[in-house]
């Protein structure tokens, strides 16, 4: 079947699931707010499949993500707001509008010019909608994951020159913020100092995100890699403990640390 035919089939399935008489009770109970967490989750599962280089899984996860778009469009259609066709037309119009060097006669010298034009077009779009915020930080969604929003805020500030000249002073700032976190811990019990610790830890995480930006490392990808590494090593610890007829919970921290080091060493072997 063609892509158009398969998309029509998917749209028909979603409409049937939401049919008030013959639909699925679970699907009928959903609204934009209840589906939004699934939309975010599916986007992360797409990223995970990409990280793993699993193209078979990527195909499946992209389908799950597409279903989220179809689901939202169906609910909007039921309210008379818009449908899938309007969603597709909106993004098609936007892509053509934001790529005048491809679809019009604008000349660019490279990706840098494309980025400059892209931001200028976005500003014009916001102005056309009546948005009057002229800040360099305007238009950064508050619905982004906080680490991603931190990087975007820093990148926008950097465009007007408010940025460290390189990673070295950012590393110094990380040390400074870490010292401030340690000082807050030294003040007493965590429960008595929660607000200050939250603030100082937030500052530390913000600067770490900035360091990743200077390193041209995607914070989300770096954290996913760290999560995978921790999970892999922890599971190896559980396997080692089980092979000795033990459980991790039955071991003290020193014994657990020994298993952790063994797991690390096992990964290092060719």
């Amino acid at each position: 079947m063609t892509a158009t035919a398969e998309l029509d089939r998917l749209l028909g399935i979603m409409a049937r699931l939401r049919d008030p008489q013959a639909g699925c009770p679970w699907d009928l109970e959903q609204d934009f707010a209840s589906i939004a967490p699934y939309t975010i989750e599916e986007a992360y599962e797409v990223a995970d499949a990409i990280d793993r280089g699993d193209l078979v899984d990527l195909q499946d996860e992209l389908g799950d993500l597409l279903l989220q778009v179809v689901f939202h469009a169906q609910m909007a259609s039921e309210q008379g707001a818009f449908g899938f066709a309007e969603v597709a037309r909106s993004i098609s119009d936007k892509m053509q509008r934001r790529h005048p060097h491809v679809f019009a006669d604008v000349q660019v010298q490279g990706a840098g010019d494309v980025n400059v034009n892209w931001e200028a077009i976005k500003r014009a779009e916001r102005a056309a909608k009546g948005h009057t915020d002229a800040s360099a930080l305007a238009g950064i969604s508050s619905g982004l994951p906080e680490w991603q929003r931190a990087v975007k805020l820093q990148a926008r500030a950097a465009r007007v020159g408010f940025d460290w000249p390189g990673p070295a002073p950012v590393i110094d700032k990380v040390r400074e913020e870490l010292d401030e976190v340690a000082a807050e811990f030294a003040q007493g019990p965590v429960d008595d100092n929660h607000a200050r610790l939250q603030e100082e830890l937030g500052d530390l995480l913000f600067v770490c995100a900035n360091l990743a930006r200077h390193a041209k490392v995607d914070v989300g990808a770096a954290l996913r890699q760290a999560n995978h590494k921790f999970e892999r090593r922890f599971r190896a610890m559980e396997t080692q403990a089980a092979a000795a007829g033990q459980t991790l919970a039955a071991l003290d921290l020193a014994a657990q640390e020994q298993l952790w080091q063994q797991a690390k060493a096992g990964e290092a072997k060719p």
Side-chain angles (χ1 to χ4, degrees), residues 3-16:
T4 300
E6 290 292 359
L7 182 55
D8 286 342
R9 179 183 172 212
L10 178 58
L11 291 169
I13 289 171
M14 192 69 252
R16 176 65 183 276

Side-chain angles (χ1 to χ4, degrees), residues 233-249:
R233 291 176 179 175
F234 189 86
R235 288 179 180 275
M237 291 168 61
E238 291 177 319
T239 299
Q240 293 168 20
Q246 300 172 312
T247 65
L248 281 183

Side-chain angles (χ1 to χ4, degrees), residues 35-160:
I35 290 299
Y38 296 103
T39 307
I40 296 170
E41 179 181 344
E42 295 301 348
Y44 276 106
E45 291 186 1
V46 166
D48 178 63
I50 293 171
D51 284 345
R52 291 183 283 106
D54 189 337
L55 293 182
V56 173
D57 202 19
L58 178 59
Q59 174 185 308
D60 190 56
E61 297 299 347
L62 285 171
D64 291 344
L65 185 57
L66 176 59
L67 176 64
Q68 299 301 307
V69 178
V70 169
F71 206 143
H72 285 288
Q74 174 63 33
M75 291 187 291
S77 178
E78 294 165 4
Q79 297 179 18
F82 58 83
F84 185 84
E86 287 73 28
V87 172
R89 182 174 67 242
S90 177
I91 187 59
S92 293
D93 290 348
K94 182 185 294 183
M95 294 303 289
Q96 288 185 317
R97 186 170 62 249
R98 293 186 181 179
H99 291 82
H101 53 290
V102 175
F103 299 104
D105 57 0
V106 172
Q107 301 296 314
V108 296
Q109 299 301 316
D113 286 353
V114 172
N115 289 333
V116 171
N117 288 343
W118 181 279
E119 291 300 327
I121 293 168
K122 285 178 64 176
R123 286 195 297 273
E125 291 170 352
R126 290 195 295 269
K129 292 179 180 179
H131 298 168
T132 58
D133 187 354
S135 170
L137 306 180
I140 300 177
S141 172
S142 59
L144 291 170
E146 297 305 335
W147 62 261
Q148 189 175 0
R149 191 162 190 267
V151 172
K152 283 185 173 291
L153 288 168
Q154 295 157 0
R156 287 285 189 88
R159 289 177 187 165
V160 297

Side-chain angles (χ1 to χ4, degrees), residues 169-193:
V170 188
I171 292 172
D172 290 339
K173 189 64 176 177
V174 170
R175 294 192 181 102
E176 176 186 328
E177 296 295 348
L178 184 58
D179 287 343
E180 292 181 6
V181 169
E184 291 300 327
F185 272 107
Q187 293 298 315
V190 171
D191 290 343
D192 295 339
N193 201 29

